[in-house]
Amino acid sequence: MTTDVTAPWLIVGLGNPGPGYAANRHNVGYMVADLLAGRIGGSFKRAQKAQAQVLEGRVGPMGPGSRRVVLAKPLSFMNLSGGPVAGLRDFYKVPTANIVAIHDELDIDYGTLRLKLGGGDNGHNGLKSMTKSMGPDYHRVRFGIGRPPGRMQVADFVLKDFSPVERKELDFLVDRAADAVECLVTEGLERAQSAYNS
């Protein structure tokens, strides 16, 4: 699939708003978005046309290799992410194939990354909402958080903070996920998959 190199990319970190959720496993998409914002060198501002925080900038090497991006964190709760994302897509005129959702993934071991285009939502409420709003044909950067231990409910597990053991590696893993997003946007899915899928 070829993409229009002049069209902007919409990079969406999925999570729940508010300080009580900030360190939850479910908020790893926000964490990666915050790191990317630091690399771009700006700060998030409230979007005019959607319930989201946004930052416009460029990623990649200076010159023709760089890409225009809109970095976003929906301010709705996770299960309502689709509305804000669709609003930003329409406002910035972003092709669906140029949308990247960064999200936690239960069915992958902690810290493992998988990048793909399209597919199902695998029970993830943020993806379910996005797909309902605009179809499934957007990119996903899936950040593995593993399955809950013992009989812990999935909802409880994703809304808990990363464990002390997990936190030892978390900064490195979030940094690697941000690298994967930049590679996807500047060099394409195949290159990013070969470099970062594990």
Side-chain angles (χ1 to χ4, degrees), residues 19-60:
Y21 297 99
N24 289 180
R25 292 181 177 94
H26 223 19
N27 271 45
V28 74
Y30 269 23
M31 295 174 197
V32 177
D34 286 335
L35 181 62
L36 286 166
R39 291 182 181 184
I40 288 170
S43 54
F44 283 101
K45 295 184 172 48
R46 184 70 189 251
Q48 300 278 321
K49 302 290 182 183
Q51 192 182 358
Q53 290 183 314
V54 295
L55 169 61
E56 295 178 61
R58 298 190 81 84
V59 300

Side-chain angles (χ1 to χ4, degrees), residues 85-109:
V85 177
L88 293 171
R89 175 201 61 184
D90 294 345
F91 180 72
Y92 289 103
K93 299 180 172 53
V94 179
T96 303
N98 278 26
I99 296 172
V100 182
I102 310 162
H103 64 93
D104 58 304
E105 178 62 65
L106 285 160
D107 286 339
I108 303 175
D109 290 341

Side-chain angles (χ1 to χ4, degrees), residues 5-10 56-59 66-70 92-93 98 185:
V5 295
T6 63
W9 284 75
L10 176 58
E56 295 178 61
R58 298 190 81 84
V59 300
S66 75
R67 296 285 178 266
R68 189 159 62 99
V69 299
V70 179
Y92 289 103
K93 299 180 172 53
N98 278 26
V185 169

